[in-house]
């Protein structure tokens, strides 16, 4: 039987951080045959870091990304701590966490307010001329200004400690290079109440949207998967905890130390994507696939250790009978709950006298030839693993980036939506936007290495089984 | 005249950092002839930048451009308008038009703006522009000088003025 197909290619995806492409293969009768989410840019950090002194890594690796450099900075510093065999003093760990909370606030705010909220507020089928951030600013000016303010606040926290909003330098192997001054702490504390109030309004908006669109939310790219995230005493933890995997039915499948990630997490490779597919080894691929990020963390943990976010989590879990929320659109809701947690945790840290202390650093020599650092990045669990020689020169680097963990789920989610909304090559703009929105739910950071004027607009290509171009659609 | 000069891109990816090399040349020229300049070097344009635009009389953006897209000139100098639809393909390629549109909505003002974009040759790892891109950066700076003198003949940046280029 002739296996004749048409192929739709959407490349690249709008409003996500990085370079990706969606390919939809159609059968002769126009039905969706196969869908793939490709990551087409190769970072190369694991290769070119070889031969560098490990102490440089907390400065080098943040260049992977302009949106979540702090996550790479911290995971790298933790891996370096492990090579030195030291535990940073308590003030240093708390100051790292202060910066981490700033990172969560700014990154999550960007994802929700600027990238995703236009789709929710205007609808997937709205005119693209309206369904954008300027449209948001026109119709919902308070929300747009609140989003900008929240991002700015998070970035100021990062800049205060790290000198720069993007690619800061604060964590060093064994600790940090500066503490907070009292006036800096006070300025951060003074800003929190207004941003918290704006966040409550955004939460209310999202909850109303999900309630009014319950049927869509329950169906849109929904997947019953396992969930992975860091926990401390079973509760949500973003900086330093054990890795927990919870099954789709809510059972805790496993919980292990970050240094044991190799024994538990494998990486599947597909020839059509640079992004690997991590999976839980005991279950194999694809059965051991899981989701990370806001939805993953909220499903993996027992509770959130701050009062207001804990109460919000309780409300979130009422969505389903067993409290496990598989709905992909709920990533947005989970993301806002995490901003609330980050604000509450930041307040706790700033009220802790340790953040003003000068006990910031423990020096040491190479005492371990291997170091593993794991943090929760806004997009999910981030793993840095270095091997060094006796002088501390990097011999091997393995990075499992947060976005990779969700690779399988993003592929499956896009496929589901494609099957729901595509029949034949005449694909409507709203269908394309729905497929993109699946990806936006996960807020992936594929690579922000380069950008330049003159990139191709969103392109849809339809090809037959011989690779001949049948039709090209440019998204205007 | 208050001028906002922003060079953006990744200075660790060879020619993607063209804006980082071009923007200081523009700022140096403008300062040398008495303009009040704020120079920014950024990894990318971000939404919060829109809040600041209203305080300026002119905005200059300097960026890299993919090869073969400058109509044979190696660089483009374009006066740009707010445009929310051409927001770019992702947050890293959000264009200045998109940020201008946001500025117009939240602040009611989007000052005149110019985009200078220089074709890159290599976007591999490296901190120094390729020789051909470096040449185009200098040519773009000279083109900007000519444009500015023509556009603002009473600015004090005449041919006889000291320049930083």
């Amino acid at each position: 039987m002739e296996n004749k197909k048409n192929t739709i290619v959407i490349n690249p995806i709008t409003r996500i951080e990085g370079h990706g492409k969606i390919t939809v293969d159609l059968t002769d009768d126009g039905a969706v045959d196969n869908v793939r989410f490709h990551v087409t840019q190769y970072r190369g950090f694991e290769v070119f870091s070889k031969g560098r002194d490990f102490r440089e890594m907390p400065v080098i690796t943040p260049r992977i990304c302009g949106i979540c450099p702090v996550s790479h900075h911290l995971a790298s510093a933790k891996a370096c701590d492990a090579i030195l065999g030291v535990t940073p003093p308590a003030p240093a760990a708390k100051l790292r966490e202060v910066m981490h909370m700033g990172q969560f606030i700014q990154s999550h705010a960007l994802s929700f307010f600027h990238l995703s909220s236009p789709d929710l507020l205007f609808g997937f089928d709205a005119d693209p001329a309206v369904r954008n951030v300027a449209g948001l600013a026109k119709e919902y000016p308070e929300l747009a200004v609140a989003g900008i303010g929240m991002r700015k606040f998070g970035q100021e926290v990062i800049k205060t400690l790290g000198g720069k909003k993007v690619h800061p330098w604060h964590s060093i192997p064994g600790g940090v290079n500066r503490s907070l001054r009292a006036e800096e702490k006070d300025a951060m504390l003074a800003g929190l109440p207004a941003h918290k109030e704006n966040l409550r309004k955004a939460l209310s908006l999202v909850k109303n949207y999900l309630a009014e669109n319950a049927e869509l939310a329950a169906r849109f790219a929904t997947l019953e998967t396992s969930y992975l995230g860091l926990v401390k005493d079973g509760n949500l933890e973003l900086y330093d905890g054990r890795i927990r995997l919870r099954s789709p039915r809510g059972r805790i499948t496993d919980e292990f130390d970050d240094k044991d990630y190799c024994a538990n997490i494998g990486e599947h490779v597909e020839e059509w994507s640079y992004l690997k597919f991590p999976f839980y080894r005991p279950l194999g691929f694809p059965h051991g696939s899981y989701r990370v990020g806001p939805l993953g963390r909220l499903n993996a943990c027992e509770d959130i250790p701050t009062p207001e976010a804990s109460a919000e989590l309780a409300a979130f879990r009422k969505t389903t009978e067993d409290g496990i929320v598989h709905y992909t659109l709920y990533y947005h809701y989970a993301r806002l709950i995490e901003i609330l947690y980050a604000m509450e945790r930041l307040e706790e840290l700033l009220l802790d006298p340790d953040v003003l202390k000068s006990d910031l650093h423990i020096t040491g020599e190479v005492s371990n030839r291997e170091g593993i650092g794991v943090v929760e990045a806004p997009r999910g669990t981030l793993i840095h693993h270095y091997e060094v020689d006796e002088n501390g020169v990097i011999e091997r680097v393995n990075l499992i980036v947060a976005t990779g963990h969700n690779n399988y789920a993003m592929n499956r989610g896009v496929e589901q939506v494609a099957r729901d909304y595509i029949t034949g090559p005449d694909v409507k703009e709203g269908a394309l936007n729905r497929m993109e929105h699946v990806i936006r739910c996960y807020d992936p950071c594929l690579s922000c290495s380069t950008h330049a004027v003159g990139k191709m607009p969103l392109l849809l290509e339809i090809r037959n089984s011989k690779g001949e171009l049948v039709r090209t659609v440019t998204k205007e | 005249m208050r001028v906002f000069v922003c060079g953006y891109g990744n200075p660790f990816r060879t020619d993607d950092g063209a804006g980082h090399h071009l923007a200081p040349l523009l700022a140096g020229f403008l300062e040398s002839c008495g303009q009040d300049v704020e120079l920014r070097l950024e990894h990318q344009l971000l939404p919060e930048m829109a809040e600041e635009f209203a305080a300026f009389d002119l905005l200059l953006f300097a960026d890299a451009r993919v090869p073969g897209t400058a109509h044979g000139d190696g660089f483009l100098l374009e006066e740009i308008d707010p445009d929310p639809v051409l927001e770019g393909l992702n947050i890293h390629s959000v264009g200045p038009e998109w940020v201008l549109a946001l500025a117009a909505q939240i602040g009611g003002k989007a000052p005149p703006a110019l985009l200078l974009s220089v074709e890159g040759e290599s976007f591999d790892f490296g901190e120094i522009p390729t020789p051909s891109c470096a040449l185009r950066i200098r040519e773009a700076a000279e083109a900007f000088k000519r444009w500015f003198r023509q556009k603002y003949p009473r600015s004090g940046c005449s041919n006889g003025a000291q320049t930083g280029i």
Side-chain angles (χ1 to χ4, degrees):
Chain A
M1 187 174 73
E2 188 181 359
N3 183 27
K4 193 176 179 183
K5 294 178 184 174
N6 291 325
T7 302
I8 298 172
V9 180
I10 302 171
N11 179 25
I13 297 159
T14 61
R15 280 187 275 143
I16 62 167
E17 294 94 330
H19 304 269
K21 177 174 77 171
I22 296 172
T23 305
V24 182
D25 296 332
L26 300 179
T27 59
D28 275 347
D29 60 4
V32 172
D33 183 46
N34 185 39
V35 180
R36 283 172 176 170
F37 171 55
H38 314 246
V39 174
T40 54
Q41 188 168 34
Y42 177 60
R43 286 194 191 89
F45 275 77
E46 289 161 320
V47 177
F48 84 80
S49 297
K50 285 180 191 171
R52 308 297 292 249
D53 189 296
F54 79 99
R55 296 167 189 85
E56 294 180 288
M57 294 300 275
V59 178
I60 292 172
T61 54
R63 263 68 185 184
I64 290 170
C65 182
I67 293 296
C68 51
V70 172
S71 305
H72 287 287
H73 187 53
L74 296 182
S76 181
K78 287 180 70 179
C80 293
D81 296 341
I83 290 170
L84 294 177
V86 301
T87 302
K94 288 172 185 172
L95 285 160
R96 285 182 180 178
E97 214 184 329
V98 165
M99 184 182 273
H100 201 31
M101 295 306 106
Q103 155 83 349
F104 263 78
I105 293 167
Q106 69 89 8
S107 178
H108 276 359
L110 177 71
S111 170
F112 177 74
F113 290 96
H114 303 298
L115 305 184
S116 293
S117 69
D119 285 342
L120 304 183
L121 293 167
F122 297 108
F124 295 118
D125 295 309
D127 183 351
V130 176
R131 198 191 60 232
N132 56 50
V133 74
L136 181 78
K138 188 176 181 183
E139 296 297 322
Y140 303 91
E142 284 185 17
L143 191 70
V145 171
I148 289 172
M150 220 174 280
R151 252 191 75 74
K152 206 170 171 181
F153 175 76
Q155 289 195 303
E156 285 300 325
V157 171
I158 295 167
K159 186 182 175 185
T160 299
L161 284 168
K164 291 192 295 183
K165 294 173 182 172
V166 181
H167 304 151
W169 182 52
H170 180 239
S171 289
I172 53 177
V176 296
N177 60 18
R178 65 160 289 186
S179 64
L180 276 176
R181 289 193 284 270
E183 62 271 23
E184 293 169 339
K185 179 202 72 167
D186 292 342
M188 290 180 195
L189 280 170
L192 272 170
H195 295 302
K196 214 184 273 185
E197 188 53 36
N198 285 332
L199 196 271
R200 291 186 191 107
K201 290 176 186 169
L203 264 167
S204 173
L205 190 145
V206 155
K207 287 195 284 189
N208 288 340
Y209 170 83
L210 292 171
E212 290 167 7
N213 297 275
E215 197 176 326
L216 170 72
R219 181 171 175 78
F220 186 84
T222 292
L223 293 172
E224 290 200 5
T225 61
S226 294
Y227 297 95
L228 184 129
L230 291 185
V231 294
K232 185 176 277 181
D233 300 325
N235 292 332
L236 177 74
E237 171 62 32
L238 302 178
Y239 172 67
D240 193 31
R242 285 166 61 80
I243 300 172
R244 174 186 279 187
L245 185 77
R246 194 188 284 279
S247 79
R249 299 299 170 94
R251 185 175 60 86
I252 297 172
T253 309
D254 202 349
E255 194 174 307
F256 49 90
D257 285 338
D258 54 8
K259 66 180 184 337
D260 297 326
Y261 91 91
C262 265
N264 292 288
I265 296 175
E267 292 182 276
H268 177 77
V269 176
E270 293 282 0
E271 62 177 3
W272 42 267
S273 178
Y274 276 126
L275 192 63
K276 297 171 191 167
F277 293 76
F279 61 96
Y280 178 60
R281 279 187 191 278
L283 294 178
F285 181 84
H287 301 298
S289 300
Y290 50 81
R291 287 194 277 181
V292 300
L295 192 71
R297 287 186 287 258
L298 294 201
N299 277 326
C301 73
E302 301 299 324
D303 200 355
I304 298 179
T306 58
E308 201 171 337
S310 173
E312 202 58 60
L313 176 63
F316 175 88
R317 286 186 168 157
K318 286 179 182 168
T319 305
T320 60
E321 281 185 14
D322 61 4
I324 303 295
V325 181
H326 296 298
Y327 306 153
T328 300
L329 271 179
Y330 274 62
Y331 259 96
H332 301 306
Y333 185 6
R335 193 164 283 123
L336 293 183
I337 294 174
E338 286 196 333
I339 299 180
L340 185 57
Y341 165 71
M343 289 179 178
E344 289 187 295
R345 179 63 183 147
L346 179 59
E347 190 171 8
E348 282 180 357
L349 289 163
L350 294 173
L351 293 173
D352 188 325
D354 272 358
V355 298
L356 300 178
K357 289 181 179 171
S358 55
D359 182 15
L360 301 176
H361 182 221
I362 292 177
T363 55
E365 299 299 324
V366 174
S367 59
N368 296 305
R369 299 281 292 274
E370 201 171 353
I372 294 168
V374 179
V375 298
E376 284 295 335
R379 288 146 193 86
T381 312
L382 172 65
I383 300 169
H384 278 222
H385 182 181
Y386 310 151
E387 290 176 17
V388 299
D389 69 10
E390 66 276 13
N391 299 312
V393 175
I394 294 280
E395 292 183 323
R396 179 179 168 271
V397 172
N398 188 38
L399 307 178
I400 300 184
V401 296
T403 293
H405 298 287
N406 284 329
N407 200 2
Y408 179 75
M410 286 190 285
N411 272 276
R412 289 285 313 280
V414 168
E415 182 175 345
Q416 270 194 33
V417 171
R419 289 186 191 283
D420 279 352
Y421 290 94
I422 292 180
T423 47
D426 185 21
V427 183
K428 293 194 167 46
E429 211 281 331
L432 297 182
N433 199 48
R434 282 175 174 83
M435 291 164 70
E436 290 175 12
H437 194 88
V438 174
I439 308 297
R440 279 184 218 127
C441 285
Y442 294 96
D443 189 27
C445 190
L446 306 172
S447 169
C448 56
S449 309
T450 64
H451 71 89
V453 178
K455 275 183 176 173
M456 294 284 282
L458 185 70
L459 192 67
L460 183 151
E461 289 183 350
I462 304 171
R463 295 180 184 275
N464 63 22
S465 58
K466 296 174 184 171
E468 296 162 341
L469 194 63
V470 176
R471 188 177 165 216
T472 300
V473 181
T474 302
K475 186 177 179 184
E476 299 289 352
Chain B
M1 176 183 282
R2 288 207 72 201
V3 187
F4 179 86
V5 182
C6 180
Y8 57 99
N10 188 343
F12 300 96
R13 294 295 290 266
T14 321
D15 294 344
D16 198 63
H20 286 250
H21 299 282
L22 174 57
L25 298 181
L26 308 180
F29 163 69
L30 292 166
E31 282 174 340
S32 72
C33 51
Q35 309 307 317
D36 180 5
V37 179
E38 179 158 334
L39 173 64
R40 295 278 188 85
L41 299 175
E42 303 283 356
H43 195 78
Q44 67 233 74
L45 295 181
L46 291 167
E48 56 269 26
M49 201 178 272
E51 275 192 327
E52 304 173 42
F53 287 172
F56 294 92
D57 303 303
L58 176 65
L59 311 175
L60 302 180
F61 299 96
D63 194 4
R65 170 174 280 281
V66 295
T69 58
H71 313 308
D73 292 331
F75 65 88
L76 281 184
L77 187 154
E78 308 163 271
E79 293 182 50
I80 55 174
D81 297 313
D83 191 339
V85 177
L86 297 172
E87 66 179 52
L89 301 174
N90 55 52
I91 198 63
H92 296 272
S93 58
V94 160
E97 299 93 341
W98 183 89
V99 189
L100 280 173
L102 183 59
Q105 286 296 343
I106 63 171
K109 182 186 172 188
L114 190 74
L115 170 64
L116 286 105
S117 51
V118 179
E119 279 189 10
E121 184 179 310
S122 168
F123 293 83
D124 206 344
F125 298 108
E127 296 177 46
I128 301 170
T130 59
S132 58
C133 184
L135 176 63
R136 289 193 287 270
I137 289 169
R138 291 194 294 275
E139 289 172 347
E142 288 300 324
F144 169 74
K145 284 166 61 178
R146 292 192 293 274
W147 175 88
F148 189 82
R149 285 171 177 143
Q150 189 174 17
K151 185 85 174 179
Y152 301 100
R154 296 178 184 173
S155 63
C157 297
S158 62
N159 281 325
Q162 291 287 318
T163 73
I165 298 177

